[in-house]
Amino acid sequence: MQKNWIGKCNGHSFTYNLILDGKIIDTLQIWTDRAELLADSKFVGIRSAEFLSSDCDLTNLRAKNPVNGELLHVFVTEKILYPIGSDMIVGIPSDQNIKKPESCRHLLSVYELCQEMNISTSYELLSKEEAMAKKKVIVEKLLSEGRGGYLNSSRLRDWLISRQRYWRTPIPANQCGVLPVPAEHLPVVLPDLSGFS
């Protein structure tokens, strides 16, 4: 079950430093399945400002490309098509994201957002073999520098933390054995989370 929930590990997460007024104010781990095209990144998209640890002027916020050091615009928007299970995207225009599923026609692809924002949609055309070789070089370089590159899935989350946000931290038990719920507390009902934020 967990294997299907997490999905295939078909991409890599990389560390992007968030820069404001020349200072690093935060870091983001952003997943992509196109590591070979990271140098062609045009922007970083974030679904919600809640992912930023501090209030800041988003107009001057930039994300530092871990491959070439270029400072990329940061867009906080829900109108872009994000990878499944992810709330952040590296804006890499490529042949893969010109088309989008019919069910997502109300969302913009990376390519469309670039066009809307007058950002260049150019990218390096690579054969499959060239892409694999370039990806390997980039991933190994960033791994050695401690800037990400670990193979994972866009759906991968820290499921334990997600579970704790809902159920709260489990009570540690030391050699207690099975601890059944008392009959008067059955059935166990999930708490009302209508006011949860």
Side-chain angles (χ1 to χ4, degrees):
M1 179 178 107
Q2 192 169 340
K3 175 182 165 189
N4 294 329
W5 173 62
I6 292 174
K8 290 182 181 178
C9 292
N10 58 350
H12 301 82
S13 288
F14 298 97
T15 303
Y16 283 74
N17 290 329
L18 290 179
I19 310 290
L20 185 65
D21 299 326
K23 297 177 187 165
I24 298 173
I25 62 162
D26 204 350
T27 59
L28 298 174
Q29 292 294 320
I30 307 178
W31 179 90
T32 182
D33 61 352
R34 299 303 301 264
E36 69 277 11
L37 295 177
L38 281 178
D40 294 325
S41 301
K42 308 300 181 190
F43 65 89
V44 166
I46 302 173
R47 192 183 307 270
S48 170
E50 291 176 6
F51 294 101
L52 304 173
S53 63
S54 58
D55 279 340
C56 59
D57 179 9
L58 294 176
T59 57
N60 295 320
L61 185 65
R62 299 292 181 266
K64 188 173 184 179
N65 187 323
V67 172
N68 58 17
E70 183 180 349
L71 296 181
L72 307 171
H73 286 278
V74 176
F75 297 123
V76 177
T77 179
E78 291 187 11
K79 67 179 186 178
I80 193 169
L81 181 60
Y82 290 91
I84 293 172
S86 183
D87 296 308
M88 297 176 211
I89 189 169
V90 181
I92 305 171
S94 72
D95 54 330
Q96 282 189 335
N97 56 38
I98 291 174
K99 295 180 180 178
K100 60 188 174 192
E102 185 62 27
S103 61
C104 299
R105 64 180 177 269
H106 62 288
L107 297 171
L108 295 174
S109 68
V110 168
Y111 198 83
E112 290 169 325
L113 184 67
C114 285
Q115 289 179 322
E116 186 178 281
M117 302 300 289
N118 284 333
I119 298 171
S120 166
T121 55
S122 64
Y123 61 93
E124 187 177 5
L125 290 172
L126 301 168
S127 69
K128 190 172 185 176
E129 293 77 23
E130 290 171 328
M132 294 296 286
K134 190 168 182 181
K135 181 182 287 190
K136 185 175 188 280
V137 169
I138 288 172
V139 167
E140 287 177 357
K141 178 181 186 291
L142 295 180
L143 273 170
S144 71
E145 295 172 355
R147 293 190 282 166
Y150 297 100
L151 183 66
N152 63 21
S153 163
S154 67
R155 297 179 183 192
L156 187 61
R157 297 266 192 241
D158 189 334
W159 65 270
L160 182 60
I161 300 300
S162 300
R163 178 209 161 279
Q164 288 179 6
R165 287 190 72 196
Y166 193 87
W167 286 97
R168 307 217 174 164
T169 308
I171 299 168
N174 187 9
Q175 299 176 348
C176 294
V178 176
L179 297 173
V181 175
E184 61 270 13
H185 293 140
L186 293 174
V188 175
V189 180
L190 298 176
D192 176 26
L193 297 179
S194 57
F196 183 76
S197 60

